[in-house]
Amino acid sequence: MTEESRTLYEVIGGESTIRAMVDRFYDLMELEPEFQLLRSVHGPSLENANQRLFMFLSGWMGGPDLYQEAHGHPRLRMRHMPFAIGTQERDQWLRCMAWAMEDTGIDTELRVRLMNSFFQTADWMRNKPD
């Protein structure tokens, strides 16, 4: 099977890699002062957000569509409307994810590819003026 015919889910390493990446993402958000604004948007516990991001990324990357099976269509923008998301929150989310992917050992080329997609989505999620 060529790289081009494999899903992102397969290329990244499947469930275990996505789980490790998402866990690291939320660990960094909890631990690193530079993500304080992003962390404050999430409420007292990160457990639900962690599980939902893992489920979403699994399906988005071509693996089991866990999020849709449990919660229906992601409707990302609608589901994020209750949270004030501006340029700072977007940038902190992207920086946190880039760091999590690097710490998880995601290949540089794949990280760049994913960050391009993540930027487009994160930018689209902005819902407050700066």
Side-chain angles (χ1 to χ4, degrees):
M1 183 180 302
T2 66
E3 179 88 6
E4 294 79 33
S5 66
R6 295 171 53 202
T7 65
L8 274 173
Y9 185 85
E10 293 165 326
V11 170
I12 204 168
E15 178 181 346
S16 62
T17 303
I18 295 171
R19 170 55 62 204
M21 181 180 76
V22 170
D23 285 348
R24 183 63 180 147
F25 174 80
Y26 284 104
D27 287 346
L28 288 165
M29 190 188 302
E30 189 78 75
L31 299 171
E32 294 298 325
E34 74 180 270
F35 304 127
Q36 181 178 9
L37 179 62
L38 178 63
R39 175 62 185 90
S40 70
V41 173
H42 285 80
S45 173
L46 295 174
E47 188 176 330
N48 186 46
N50 181 310
Q51 184 61 16
R52 285 177 183 252
L53 181 58
F54 165 74
M55 293 168 74
F56 172 77
L57 288 178
S58 174
W60 181 78
M61 290 188 186
D65 206 355
L66 305 172
Y67 188 93
Q68 191 150 333
E69 290 169 8
H71 305 288
H73 190 281
R75 298 187 311 262
L76 290 177
R77 187 155 167 82
M78 183 204 76
R79 291 184 195 266
H80 285 81
M81 275 301 180
F83 310 103
I85 302 170
T87 301
Q88 285 185 297
E89 291 84 359
R90 176 202 67 194
D91 291 350
Q92 285 186 20
W93 193 99
L94 291 166
R95 171 68 183 119
C96 192
M97 182 54 77
W99 189 345
M101 286 193 295
E102 185 174 351
D103 284 359
T104 307
I106 307 298
D107 172 76
T108 302
E109 187 176 315
L110 182 55
R111 284 196 326 254
V112 168
R113 180 178 167 191
L114 289 170
M115 286 305 295
N116 285 331
S117 292
F118 289 152
F119 175 82
Q120 290 175 17
T121 302
D123 194 54
W124 179 63
M125 300 299 243
R126 289 183 304 132
N127 60 20
K128 75 172 188 178
D130 292 322

